[in-house]
Amino acid sequence: MPDIATTIAIKLIQRESVTPEDGGCQNYIESLLAPLGFVRTHVDTGGITNSIYTRTGELPGTLAFAGHTDVVPTGPVEQWQQPPFSAEIIDGILHGRGAQDMKGAIACWIAAIAELCGEYTPLPTLQLLITSDEEGDSIDGTIRIVEHMQAAATLPDAVIIGEPSCSNSVGDTIRRGRRGVVQVRATIHGKQGHSAYPQDADNAIHRAAPALARIAAIKWGEPSAGFPATSCQITNISGGTGASNVIPGHCDAFIDIRYNPGNSFDEIKAAIEAACADCECTLDFDHVATAFSTPDGPFLDLVCGSILRVTGTETLRDTGGGTSDGRFLAAAGIPVAELGTTNSSIHQVNEQVAVSELATLTAIYSDIIKHFEVLA
């Protein structure tokens, strides 16, 4: 018989919730939490399902768990060893889209609370902040929850985010922050013409090549302590009409920059503009995500202490990976730590998680909740 966390994970995975759909997951979560004293607040926006579940505690302080019920598309279904929404357990492995990212973690948090409530353990005020817009555009999800809580003065003292943070075993890594993201759509302009008459044209690809080379060679300086260096990748480039004898009149490129707090958006923007100064171009900048970091202190010490007590593991406090919804919570001044399952199969065909991981993560979450104190 599966344990509580595994049973909940199965039920969540079986609800198809490809972003931005929720698939009924948050109604199911409500059915589990309501008997434990939680009240649900709907913050649905723009067709996105957002929920705040709150249980007023017996102890001071408010601890939140943030997560998402939407999952990425399955990819080719025929390549899955088991149907992606069947949630089958084979040899101790739970298979299905969302097993690691991140329905498994949501299940573990609920299971931990259920066990603590069943033991009549005094608890702080607890919140679950759940959206169906994390894997998609992230414009009407967690950010709307944060705005609602700011207006209602109900922001928590700290947040655990259930993103799959770990590498080889549960608890070996937490994310204390993330790099920011700047994306640039660049169009370098020329003049279209016949390739036999280059004197009457201006080849946009020829103009773009040195500018893009300069962009790729930008030195971004030393990264902030604890962060990977800023990286700049030209991920797409296109130009020409497809005809072999037409000089292209424009060349389009897409630039993806992952920056650490040692750089700023204004600095990045200026550097890209300077690299393109000698050619006629249009640059469209999108500051997708702001870099953030939770400093060392009582909250991170608590999380790592719980991991140590449960697993004996010394935890790496990391800032790697892509972006997450933690940026919206951190921007509101809330300490954030990302702790979930391992991430070996996220966004892949045959996503899966070991049932033993869910048991370990549930125990860690339970320990964090029991030892939570109001942050100084």
Side-chain angles (χ1 to χ4, degrees):
M1 183 72 178
D3 61 19
I4 295 173
T6 304
T7 298
I8 296 171
I10 289 170
K11 296 294 186 181
L12 288 172
I13 292 168
Q14 288 175 339
R15 288 167 165 80
E16 297 189 27
S17 56
V18 175
T19 191
E21 297 301 321
D22 168 68
C25 290
Q26 293 180 45
N27 288 338
Y28 172 62
I29 291 171
E30 181 180 19
S31 73
L32 298 173
L33 292 178
L36 304 178
F38 283 81
V39 175
R40 180 182 182 183
T41 301
H42 295 264
V43 194
D44 299 351
T45 310
I48 302 300
T49 305
N50 297 316
S51 302
I52 302 170
Y53 307 88
T54 304
R55 179 189 183 276
T56 301
E58 299 78 33
L59 301 177
T62 301
L63 175 63
F65 174 92
H68 59 90
T69 50
D70 59 322
V71 298
V72 296
T74 63
V77 174
E78 65 276 8
Q79 293 182 16
W80 285 72
Q81 295 174 357
Q82 285 78 37
F85 298 106
S86 63
E88 296 183 35
I89 298 176
I90 301 175
D91 297 328
I93 304 297
L94 173 60
H95 297 259
R97 177 58 84 224
Q100 287 186 330
D101 191 11
M102 56 174 285
K103 292 180 175 180
I106 293 173
C108 291
W109 190 264
I110 296 172
I113 293 171
E115 291 172 0
L116 291 170
C117 288
E119 297 167 356
Y120 300 99
T121 303
L123 302 173
T125 293
L126 297 173
Q127 299 168 332
L128 278 78
L129 319 177
I130 307 296
T131 182
S132 68
D133 187 33
E134 197 275 344
E135 300 290 7
D137 294 333
S138 297
I139 59 174
D140 282 317
T142 300
I143 189 171
R144 304 305 175 202
I145 292 175
V146 171
E147 290 171 348
H148 176 91
M149 298 178 79
Q150 287 174 317
T154 56
L155 288 173
D157 296 304
V159 179
I160 298 288
I161 299 179
E163 290 292 345
S165 61
C166 304
S167 299
N168 299 310
S169 62
V170 173
D172 64 6
T173 307
I174 62 171
R175 308 288 183 195
R176 63 183 305 167
R178 298 276 189 158
R179 290 183 295 178
V181 182
V182 175
Q183 294 178 337
V184 189
R185 297 180 184 275
T187 299
I188 292 84
H189 305 287
K191 181 181 179 182
Q192 185 172 308
H194 196 294
S195 61
Y197 303 95
Q199 68 276 12
D200 297 326
D202 184 0
N203 193 313
I205 292 178
H206 292 185
R207 294 281 188 184
L212 295 177
R214 288 192 294 271
I215 289 172
I218 292 173
K219 304 298 184 183
W220 297 105
E222 292 296 319
S224 296
F227 272 84
T230 293
S231 68
C232 175
Q233 297 295 316
I234 300 166
T235 57
N236 288 276
I237 185 169
S238 62
T241 65
S244 61
N245 61 350
V246 177
I247 294 172
H250 66 88
C251 178
D252 300 310
F254 192 89
I255 305 157
D256 185 90
I257 302 163
R258 305 297 170 117
Y259 74 93
N260 71 82
N263 301 116
S264 68
F265 172 73
D266 290 339
E267 177 187 355
I268 291 166
K269 183 173 182 289
I272 299 295
E273 289 173 339
C276 299
D278 69 346
C279 59
E280 184 183 351
C281 65
T282 302
L283 300 173
D284 181 14
F285 291 87
D286 185 6
H287 193 182
V288 177
T290 303
F292 71 92
S293 179
T294 298
D296 287 327
F299 180 54
L300 293 187
D301 290 345
L302 163 65
V303 174
C304 293
S306 290
I307 294 170
L308 184 62
R309 282 189 289 271
V310 173
T311 69
T313 299
E314 294 285 351
T315 302
L316 173 65
R317 304 182 184 194
D318 193 38
T319 57
T323 189
S324 78
D325 276 4
R327 64 190 189 272
F328 303 121
L329 295 151
I334 306 169
V336 171
E338 298 180 19
L339 169 62
T341 66
T342 56
N343 55 26
S344 57
S345 62
I346 59 173
H347 292 208
Q348 298 178 25
V349 168
N350 296 318
E351 183 178 352
Q352 56 190 259
V353 69
V355 170
S356 60
E357 285 192 28
L358 301 181
T360 300
L361 186 59
T362 300
I364 294 171
Y365 284 164
S366 178
D367 195 84
I368 291 171
I369 295 168
K370 284 192 295 186
H371 289 89
F372 181 76
E373 296 178 0
V374 180
L375 304 182

